[in-house]
Amino acid sequence: MASEMGQSSDELRNAALSYHRLPRPGKLEIQATKPLGNQRDLALAYTPGVAAACQAIAVDPAQAASLTIRSNLVAVVTNGTAVLGLGDIGPLASKPVMEGKAVLFKKFAGIDVFDIEIDAHTVKNVVETVAALEPTFGGINLEDIKAPECFEIEEQLKARMKIPVFHDDQHGTAIIVCAAIRNALVLNGKKLEDIKIVTAGAGAAALACLNLLVSMGAKRENIWVNDIDGLVYEGRNTLMDKWKSIYAQKTDQRTLAESIVGADVFLGLSGPNVLTTEMLKTMADGPLIMALANPTPEIMPDVAREARPDAMICTGRSDFPNQVNNVLCFPFIFRGALDVGATAINEEMKRAAVDALAQLARDPPSDVVTRGFDGTESRGFGPGSLIPGAFDPRIILRVAPAVAKAAMESGVATRPIEDFTAYAEELGRFAFRSGLIMKPVFAKARNQPMRVIYAEGEDERVLRATQAVIEEGIARPILVGRPSVVATRLKRAGFSIKAGEDFDLINPEDDPRYRSYVQSYVDVAGRHGITPDAARTLVRTNSTVIAALAVQRGEADAMLCGVEGRFLSHLRRIREIIGIRPELTDYSALALLITNKGSYFIADTQIRQNPTAEELAEIAALAAVHVQRFGIKPRIAFLSHSDFGSHDSESAHKMRRATELLARSHPEIESDGEMQGDSALSEMARNQVLPHSRLEGSANIMIMPNLDAANIAFQMIKVLSGALPVGPILIGPAKTAHILTPSVTARGILNMTAVAVVEAQERMKQPTLFA
């Protein structure tokens, strides 16, 4: 993985340890979902009120689904015997991995998780321990348990427990592999029952893939399994078990090289460089190569493609197309299972997940994907897009309902869904409040990295962000800073990136372009009070001036400044050098807050003190353009102390008129106002005041009546909710430029780099829109 990230193993290790250690240990916390602010709350939550819930469950155990967290609570359970690529490291050392799994459940599907690491090493001990947990959980996700014990453990638990038991290492991988195979067969015109499948690896994942393929129609006689001891054949006595023996072939062949001849599918779940180009050349026409070993696959995609240009290729890595990533499956199959109270995850539900993922990859790209936000998917269905990308927001909308329906049809659902339209709407609301808002922006940025210049290149936060930008592959950084200072601080931080190799450096004390920069400054700002003498001084001393000139001269595509100093001082330099788009009246600023309840944009948080109705409508329309870059449909609320005419103040009139102006000039944008904050965020509250609002659901863009309201709201929400801020996003410059704030973190700089890159990409592709 270190090679994928462009980072040395020591740097990656140190960064990972800091990530897990700071600002507080671990990746999870428990939060209360009910108020506990007074004596009555305490009486309801605990004694004596809690007795009512206990008695109801005692009478009817099904009431636990509506009275407790159980129906949305999964246990991620391991004994630490087969952790990632680390092997048998024990339960305690596996805890960071299980916490990570819990985070993925929560982020992708809203499922709460307790990670359970058990000191149990026999099948009997694991089964007894996990089975005893059934009253606590709505489902069990077994994780990182070595084969063949994992097969027996899952089998016994499924027989004993009346909740879903799912070993993700097996079945999550199997579902995604089968979806990829199904779509590869669509493209090469072959049938599952006719193809020859050859594996390298016979562990839990490989055998689960084969078992699911057989349940879908593959023929056992066409499946050839190889492990570390060679081909699995009838009569072999070494490294055999009852699960592997099912696929033993009656043959004189003994090696992968012999068995792969004429194969249509190679399924690799083994180790690096197992598959050679010579073997590839003996496969059938249009083969599917699934080289899923991580971090180094059985064969590198470029090597495979050179040997077999007609091959379709999948890996387990995020830096190649067709990544087989279990996050495509396990959150959503559990989401569907929990939502119908399934007593198991059966073959019908797994096949439904396969069908849903395969169909999604074949469907026309969503709006997000069409705009190029999700890497390879932007090309549409084809050899490079056999399966959806991990951050396609449609996955939960397809897989969870498909699994829920299959559970109902196969008779394992205890709480059938009556209205699937309403269910889909609820899933859709979650899909866009899951905290993954930056992912599509980063994916788009990686497609076409741009040159981003950082004015405060000596600041340690900028240097840390530069390291991350290089790792993410989203931009070519240009730093303004003294070489000796930058080198010293990089060394102190433990980074190995170097000026001239990984990033470019402009030395303000000695740059050969100094004279031409001075002349450029005089040319663009001479009529704004910048004399030649002033230009000579500022080009030496003001890093924002240098960064802005680099963008203006076309030597950088975007700039970030503001890590040090006052916002308006930076804005002054951008105004005189880069200028404002001619059709706009002034700049404005849009800030993003990523909270646990969703992502919200607030404007104008920095610049216009008391904008007019016309200016507010302009800000709203421009904010909508920026929000669409995140793959989000803009929903704009013009906020006020007044709620749809409840007050008759000057401010209320202004927000009312701004609403009308935006609706008239941009009827395609969903918006309404004037309204109070609770009406903007709650459709139920809004309907009590105005049942037929033009706004649906929760607003995601809040247009404030003045600078005080916007900035105060932004700062308070940031602190009170622990939200992650992104921005400010500067609206209106003639070229891409953004001004950060002194409180920004390295992560905030990284996020704004991605935002700036995407904006610069659009300016390059559609220059007339920014003329």
Side-chain angles (χ1 to χ4, degrees):
M1 188 67 73
S3 62
E4 291 181 52
M5 299 180 67
Q7 189 176 20
S8 76
S9 58
D10 287 343
E11 290 169 355
L12 178 61
R13 180 178 182 276
N14 291 335
L17 290 175
S18 295
Y19 175 86
H20 284 80
R21 186 174 286 130
L22 301 171
R24 55 187 292 185
K27 299 190 284 282
L28 299 171
E29 67 177 359
I30 295 175
Q31 289 187 335
T33 59
K34 298 294 192 298
L36 197 62
N38 53 47
Q39 188 63 36
R40 178 169 173 76
D41 290 343
L42 181 61
L44 294 173
Y46 200 51
T47 184
V50 72
C54 295
Q55 291 166 344
I57 295 170
V59 172
D60 179 9
Q63 291 294 312
S66 60
L67 294 173
T68 75
I69 193 179
R70 186 174 185 262
S71 63
N72 195 54
L73 186 62
V74 167
V76 172
V77 182
T78 189
N79 63 0
T81 53
V83 180
L84 294 174
L86 303 175
D88 187 353
I89 61 173
L92 183 59
S94 73
K95 188 172 180 64
V97 180
M98 301 309 115
E99 286 187 0
K101 195 82 171 191
V103 170
L104 295 177
F105 266 108
K106 186 67 174 179
K107 287 294 186 181
F108 281 89
I111 296 171
D112 295 304
V113 168
F114 289 151
D115 60 291
I116 309 290
E117 296 79 28
I118 58 176
D119 190 6
H121 297 280
T122 67
V123 170
K124 180 180 179 181
N125 286 346
V126 173
V127 169
E128 292 298 328
T129 302
V130 177
L133 299 172
E134 183 169 351
T136 303
F137 296 100
I140 303 291
N141 185 94
L142 299 174
E143 192 78 17
D144 293 350
I145 301 173
K146 70 182 179 72
E149 288 90 337
C150 63
F151 301 124
E152 190 65 40
I153 288 168
E154 184 187 33
E155 193 172 288
Q156 289 189 29
L157 287 173
K158 289 173 72 172
R160 288 182 56 171
M161 303 180 80
K162 295 180 180 179
I163 58 175
V165 177
F166 186 81
H167 187 201
D168 184 49
D169 298 336
Q170 295 182 54
H171 309 300
T173 303
I175 287 167
I176 302 157
V177 163
C178 289
I181 290 176
R182 171 157 289 177
N183 279 344
L185 298 182
V186 169
L187 292 174
N188 62 23
K190 300 177 182 179
K191 295 182 179 179
L192 184 60
E193 59 268 27
D194 298 331
I195 63 171
K196 179 179 180 180
I197 302 168
V198 176
T199 76
L207 293 177
C209 292
L210 298 178
N211 292 341
L212 186 54
L213 284 167
V214 169
S215 80
M216 292 168 54
K219 298 295 175 51
R220 290 185 187 273
E221 57 267 28
N222 293 338
I223 296 173
W224 299 68
V225 176
N226 294 269
D227 61 12
I228 196 170
D229 218 31
L231 183 69
V232 173
Y233 60 90
E234 289 186 6
R236 197 180 105 172
N237 298 316
T238 57
L239 297 178
M240 294 296 288
D241 54 58
K242 65 178 183 179
W243 296 278
K244 193 187 301 184
S245 297
I246 294 171
Y247 295 102
Q249 289 280 2
K250 187 175 183 179
T251 179
D252 293 330
Q253 297 179 11
R254 295 293 182 266
T255 67
L256 174 61
E258 292 175 303
S259 61
I260 202 171
V261 176
D264 300 282
V265 175
F266 168 79
L267 176 58
L269 286 153
S270 53
N273 305 315
V274 168
L275 185 64
T276 67
T277 55
E278 289 74 19
M279 296 179 192
L280 263 185
K281 291 175 182 177
T282 68
M283 292 183 70
D285 292 339
L288 173 62
I289 311 301
M290 307 197 77
L292 306 183
N294 237 332
T296 306
E298 285 80 1
I299 188 169
M300 293 300 290
D302 54 338
V303 176
R305 193 167 289 107
E306 184 176 353
R308 288 299 300 263
D310 61 334
M312 290 172 277
I313 304 167
C314 299
T315 73
R317 289 172 46 150
S318 61
D319 53 346
F320 294 112
N322 292 324
Q323 183 195 18
V324 174
N325 187 333
N326 284 17
V327 80
L328 284 167
C329 171
F330 69 83
F332 314 114
I333 197 167
F334 267 99
R335 180 74 279 159
L338 291 172
D339 289 340
V340 294
T343 57
I345 293 176
N346 55 29
E347 292 301 301
E348 291 88 346
M349 294 160 75
K350 288 186 275 187
R351 288 197 295 267
V354 171
D355 292 342
L357 284 171
Q359 184 60 55
L360 178 56
R362 295 195 297 270
D363 283 351
S366 69
D367 291 343
V368 175
V369 173
T370 300
R371 289 193 293 271
F373 280 97
D374 201 5
T376 58
E377 280 197 305
S378 61
R379 297 195 297 263
F381 177 55
S385 301
L386 297 176
I387 45 182
F391 297 103
D392 190 323
R394 300 171 297 171
I395 297 176
I396 191 172
L397 306 178
R398 301 295 186 85
V399 176
V403 169
K405 287 179 181 177
M408 291 165 57
E409 292 168 358
S410 61
V412 298
T414 62
R415 299 189 305 275
I417 293 171
E418 296 181 1
D419 186 345
F420 269 92
T421 300
Y423 179 53
E425 289 176 357
E426 177 60 31
L427 292 174
R429 283 193 288 271
F430 169 78
F432 291 100
R433 69 171 190 262
S434 61
L436 298 171
I437 188 172
M438 291 303 301
K439 294 300 181 181
V441 181
F442 274 83
K444 174 73 180 298
R446 288 189 200 98
N447 286 344
Q448 187 183 2
M450 310 295 281
R451 301 164 299 169
V452 178
I453 187 166
Y454 303 84
E456 296 90 358
E458 296 177 0
D459 190 283
E460 291 198 16
R461 291 167 294 173
V462 172
L463 296 176
R464 291 185 179 276
T466 299
Q467 173 79 34
V469 165
I470 293 167
E471 292 167 9
E472 293 281 354
I474 61 173
R476 173 70 180 188
I478 306 169
L479 306 186
V480 180
R482 293 163 292 178
S484 60
V485 175
V486 170
T488 298
R489 292 181 179 175
L490 283 173
K491 184 177 180 180
R492 184 171 62 197
F495 294 147
S496 61
I497 56 174
K498 295 179 181 179
E501 296 180 15
D502 304 295
F503 62 92
D504 299 317
L505 190 63
I506 294 179
N507 180 3
E509 295 181 341
D510 183 22
D511 190 277
R513 295 166 291 186
Y514 171 72
R515 291 180 184 276
S516 62
Y517 267 49
V518 169
Q519 187 58 52
S520 295
Y521 196 8
V522 172
D523 290 343
V524 297
R527 295 182 181 274
H528 299 283
I530 300 301
T531 65
D533 284 344
R536 280 189 285 270
T537 300
L538 288 168
V539 172
R540 286 285 193 209
T541 60
N542 191 306
S543 60
T544 297
V545 167
I546 297 171
L549 286 168
V551 172
Q552 180 66 22
R553 288 159 56 96
E555 295 169 4
D557 302 302
M559 68 170 284
L560 295 181
C561 63
V563 177
E564 300 168 3
R566 295 182 179 275
F567 187 95
L568 292 180
S569 297
H570 294 285
L571 183 63
R572 175 186 175 186
R573 302 308 175 192
I574 290 173
R575 187 187 299 273
E576 66 189 16
I577 296 171
I578 291 177
I580 191 170
R581 289 167 55 180
E583 77 276 16
L584 304 184
T585 56
D586 197 0
Y587 298 100
S588 55
L590 178 69
L592 165 62
L593 287 168
I594 303 174
T595 77
N596 290 332
K597 296 184 179 296
S599 298
Y600 304 98
F601 296 82
I602 300 176
D604 170 10
T605 57
Q606 297 290 340
I607 299 170
R608 305 197 201 192
Q609 292 188 7
N610 189 20
T612 65
E614 289 75 13
E615 289 175 327
L616 288 170
E618 176 185 272
I619 291 170
L622 293 169
V625 174
H626 281 277
V627 170
Q628 286 173 332
R629 295 193 180 110
F630 290 83
I632 295 174
K633 180 181 178 181
R635 292 187 169 92
I636 298 176
F638 289 88
L639 295 191
S640 173
H641 68 288
S642 176
D643 215 14
F644 298 109
S646 64
H647 289 74
D648 206 30
S649 64
E650 182 180 343
S651 173
H653 276 286
K654 179 176 75 170
M655 300 309 287
R656 210 171 299 158
R657 175 164 168 72
T659 302
E660 294 168 357
L661 289 171
L662 182 67
R664 195 179 307 152
S665 60
H666 292 280
E668 76 283 2
I669 299 177
E670 196 173 309
S671 64
D672 213 337
E674 86 287 10
M675 70 179 76
Q676 295 178 352
D678 58 345
S679 293
L681 297 174
S682 169
E683 187 171 28
M684 182 180 298
R686 188 167 61 251
N687 286 339
Q688 291 177 348
V689 182
L690 186 71
H692 304 295
S693 169
R694 294 192 295 268
L695 195 63
E696 294 183 2
S698 173
N700 50 36
I701 303 175
M702 312 297 170
I703 303 298
M704 299 294 187
N706 56 48
L707 180 60
D708 285 344
N711 194 272
I712 291 169
F714 172 76
Q715 300 295 348
M716 291 186 68
I717 294 170
K718 179 177 69 172
V719 174
L720 293 176
S721 69
L724 172 66
V726 178
I729 300 169
L730 186 61
I731 297 176
K735 296 187 178 182
T736 305
H738 295 288
I739 307 169
L740 308 177
T741 60
S743 63
V744 71
T745 62
R747 183 182 180 188
I749 297 170
L750 172 65
N751 283 336
M752 276 306 298
T753 300
V755 171
V757 168
V758 172
E759 181 183 341
Q761 290 173 351
E762 290 190 11
R763 287 177 181 272
M764 180 177 290
K765 293 176 181 176
Q766 298 176 298
T768 57
L769 293 181
F770 299 91

